[in-house]
Amino acid sequence: MTAWDALAARRAAIPVLAPGTVWLAGAGPGDPGLLTLDALAGLSQAEVIVHDALVDARLLALAGEKARLEFAGKRGGKPSATQADISQRLIALARTGARVLRLKGGDPFVFGRGGEEAAALAAAGIPFRVIPGITAGLAALAAARIPATLRGVNRAVIFAAGHGADENFDWAPLVRARAPLVLYMVMHNLERITAALMQAGLAADTPAAVIASATTPQERILIATLQGLAAAVREQKIDPPAIVVIGEIVKMRERLLSETASLESRQSS
Ligand SMILES: C[S@@+](CC[C@H](N)C(=O)[O-])C[C@H]1O[C@@H](n2cnc3c(N)ncnc32)[C@H](O)[C@@H]1O
């Protein structure tokens, strides 16, 4: 019995992607090991896969042989499809009777406009299903050995976008919450947002980290203070996509790394 058969037996049935249906699935942060089994089932059954730029090529390689890939993100200066175009495309594909997988990086409902696509499908009467994915904000922290919550340190964590329609976003209430900040899409506004956080009362020496291309072969991790973060990113030429995390939880990385190193040296001696 293969692992796939064993899974099918355990679950009673692998979910079926029916003709005329759209699955709105999260692809996780990049590493194929972090794809869910349901998203994998979607990849193997879909006739059309509409994907974003942040969906790793190693995952698309898992598509069924007959699947057609359609790119729906931004690429190389070419005008990108609008959100309305993408939603209309999903509706049109489903109406042809195709089995459609809409594959988005991370989780489809976290800073991914999946909610808008689901609303458009619902309004058009298209049957759809939402398959969660591991969001970059959690995967990047775990990859960098930074616990998102740590007993005695924080009992809340804040996910926020550093890029959006509202350039005058008020960061002060988030700073007052005294919870670590996990920021998506912040790299182009890092200087301005770190300054705004300090202005709102967050200490300049608060530990901070950038985790770029988490869980991919290009992964890079930078540790700094809130004050030094933007300059360090510039100096080390760290490119998006990246997650920025600011808070005491960042310190745990050093502790875990040094304890792992001393364990390894004890084992090898
Ligand atoms: C449009 S948002 C999509 C978020 C996605 N839906 C999720 O749940 O992770 C894109 C942002 O996600 C973050 N991101 C996505 N993949 C990443 C990765 N592998 N490493 C670091 N950050 C990533 C970056 O902040 C990037 O700018």
Side-chain angles (χ1 to χ4, degrees), residues 26 28-31 52 54-56 104-114 133-140 160-163 183-188 210-216 219-220 239-244:
D31 183 342
D52 286 344
L54 281 179
V55 175
D56 195 290
K104 298 168 85 74
D107 181 277
F109 277 6
V110 177
F111 299 129
R113 306 192 71 173
I134 301 181
T135 189
L138 290 177
H163 164 85
L183 304 176
Y184 293 66
M185 298 178 282
V186 71
M187 294 295 271
H188 297 302
V210 177
I211 305 117
S213 300
T215 83
T216 77
E219 180 176 285
R220 293 183 70 191
D239 292 321
I243 290 290
V244 168

Side-chain angles (χ1 to χ4, degrees), residues 6-7 17 36 43-44 55 82 85 99 120-121 155 165 169 179 195 222 226 228 243 250-251 260:
L7 178 75
L17 175 49
T36 66
L43 274 163
S44 69
V55 175
T82 64
D85 292 341
R99 300 166 208 267
L121 292 167
R155 50 195 297 174
F169 183 76
L222 177 146
L226 173 60
I243 290 290
V250 172
K251 285 185 183 159
T260 311

